[in-house]
Amino acid sequence: QVQLVESGGGLVQAGGSLRLSCAASGRTFSSYKMGWFRQAPGKEREFVSAISRGGASTNYADSVKGRFAISRDNAKNTVYLQMNSLKPEDTAIYTCALDPSPTGVLRTTPREYAGWGQGTQVTVSS
């Protein structure tokens, strides 16, 4: 069973950057597609980005496209989210999860993911 632990969150000014990491335990990390989601206070969890098992394919929410970049290092059992040009509306708890489905489709619905980590807080000040 894979366990996920996020890190890298913090407080940053608008226009700044952060790099989030999601470290996975277990030896099957490369078997899973991975996703990043976020949840702001009073709002539902929303999709941010997803990446294929080998890292060649990625998917982004329109709100972060061109500013965020997802990547993974299967040798290190880690998926990353590089966040640039941050905006106050990016403030949220960011959580990673795995998609165990055997298809190549990068899904965007939270209920299709599993193994949720505890999340890391990202706060962007204006």
Side-chain angles (χ1 to χ4, degrees):
Q1 188 172 359
V2 176
Q3 292 186 319
L4 305 173
V5 178
E6 301 91 343
S7 62
L11 173 64
V12 63
Q13 288 187 332
S17 298
L18 283 173
R19 188 195 196 200
L20 305 184
S21 298
C22 170
S25 64
R27 293 178 288 181
T28 58
F29 175 73
S30 61
S31 301
Y32 301 106
K33 297 172 286 182
M34 298 296 297
W36 282 99
F37 292 80
R38 67 186 182 186
Q39 187 168 18
K43 295 187 176 181
E44 293 187 353
R45 179 176 283 168
E46 66 173 359
F47 170 78
V48 175
S49 183
I51 190 166
S52 60
R53 297 174 191 84
S57 297
T58 58
N59 189 16
Y60 296 94
D62 288 342
S63 59
V64 306
K65 202 170 292 183
R67 300 187 298 122
F68 290 11
I70 190 171
S71 61
R72 67 190 295 166
D73 185 338
N74 286 340
K76 295 182 178 180
N77 281 9
T78 303
V79 61
Y80 305 97
L81 186 69
Q82 177 66 43
M83 305 187 297
N84 300 324
S85 301
L86 283 161
K87 305 175 181 180
E89 51 263 44
D90 294 318
T91 295
I93 296 174
Y94 285 71
T95 309
C96 63
L98 59 91
D99 180 358
S101 72
T103 73
V105 176
L106 298 179
R107 303 191 291 184
T108 63
T109 306
R111 68 174 182 271
E112 296 173 314
Y113 283 75
W116 297 89
Q118 292 298 310
T120 185
Q121 176 70 48
V122 171
T123 303
V124 184
S125 63
S126 57

